[in-house]
Amino acid sequence: MTHAPHLFAVEGDDLLINGVPVRVLAERVGGGAFYAYDSAAMSQRVADLRAAMPGDLKLHYAMKANPMPAVVRHLAAQLDGVDVASPLEMRVAIEAGASPAHISFAGPGKSDADVREAVAAGITLHLESPREFRAALAAGEALGRTPRVALRVNPAFELKAAGMKMGGSAKQFGVDEEKAPALLREIAASGARFEGFHIFSGSQNLRADSIIEAQAKTLDLVVALAEAANLPVRLANIGGGLGIPYAPGEQRLDLAPIGEALELALTRFRARMPDTSVAMELGRYLVGEAGVYVCEVIDRKESRGEIFLVTNGGLHHHLAATGNFGQVLRRNYPVVAPARMGVRETEKVHVVGPLCTPLDLLGHGVDLPRLQPGDLVAVLQSGAYGLTASPTAFLSHPAPSEVLV
Ligand SMILES: *Cc1c(COP(=O)(O)O)cnc(C)c1O
């Protein structure tokens, strides 16, 4: 079985994370399961995007994909903004050096206190409802600050082939396209500073044609809304949705046709809206392939002819790799033996965790060299939606550590 493509170098038997063998990192983090993130791989992702996308396209980091402060600091320094989804993420982004003017806060259900915190910090609120807007005005009044707001719009179209749809149909996200003009009139009549629009239609898309189509429709929608708004539009955040390969046979997205199509769409867009910047916000694409999750074999068992490697890691550390984070079909993430990369002879095994549930399955029928207790197992493509998307308290085992290399 061949794996989905990955970014890491291999030297002899060792998988390297930014030049350091995983075997050595395991000692450096003091034992136990851990996540390691390759800072050079993240920078490469940024460079690839800058090279392929139009020169004036802004790139933001959607930090819920990986909110480790060191990762946010690394990316904030190279990108044009950070998108946060909670007040704590906002604080981490500010401490990581992102300027509040370039931080935006999206997410349904912002409490009055959340809104106040955002207004106090001077970041942009991506409004998800009329109630949030009124809370922003009240906070601005109480704090003597002008709230900065953008309108998150739930478009009438869907992102085809997205792993997770975030727009189209009835959704809790944003304000329906049809209802936007009324709220825009309210914003225009208030003293709030209007930043622009945010339209995010879906995630984990590996089809360039559907991304291209969604981006073109999104820009058209911004033009239409701007005409209805009678407000200056400083920024149009057109979402992201760029996916990464996980399963065997999946290929990395070819950025070139997406960049070319966006250049054309932006040329048309600029003719109508010359003063509006356009941003793409990405989480998974920037960090997903740059991360690896590493655990250790605790036991090797045979049950009715099948081999189980029981590890000290699993669902409580890496829910997504077990197929339980919103996936419809469980498919293995790429699983390797990071200190036996040169070994050709393999056996078919199931890699499981220590939890008392059959859901705790990191690899089903994967090909690995013959491993024993004490050996390491690594799950690739683990830099996004890993640790913080996992129920670490479940069964009260120790949490994994994290290291940025
Ligand atoms: C989660 C999220 C993202 C990031 O999505 P990825 O698929 O990780 O790129 C971007 N924007 C918003 C509004 C989100 O909620």
Side-chain angles (χ1 to χ4, degrees), residues 49 57-64 79 81-85 104-107 126 128 152 166 197-203 215 235-242 278-286 385:
L49 284 160
L57 180 75
K58 307 242 184 265
L59 293 174
H60 289 195
Y61 178 44
M63 70 174 270
K64 77 172 189 288
L79 297 170
V82 179
D83 296 319
V84 306
S104 50
F105 178 6
H126 283 179
E128 311 258 353
R152 181 167 181 187
M166 306 279 289
F197 296 103
H198 176 212
I199 299 166
F200 175 67
S201 40
S203 192
Q215 288 180 337
L235 183 71
N237 180 331
I238 61 169
L242 273 51
V278 176
M280 220 159 87
E281 55 177 358
L282 297 165
R284 189 189 310 269
Y285 191 81
L286 292 167
Y385 305 106

Side-chain angles (χ1 to χ4, degrees), residues 158-166 201-207 210 241:
E158 285 195 342
L159 181 55
K160 284 186 207 134
M164 200 179 279
K165 294 189 200 322
M166 306 279 289
S201 40
S203 192
Q204 181 49 21
N205 197 323
L206 282 174
R207 281 189 37 201
S210 72

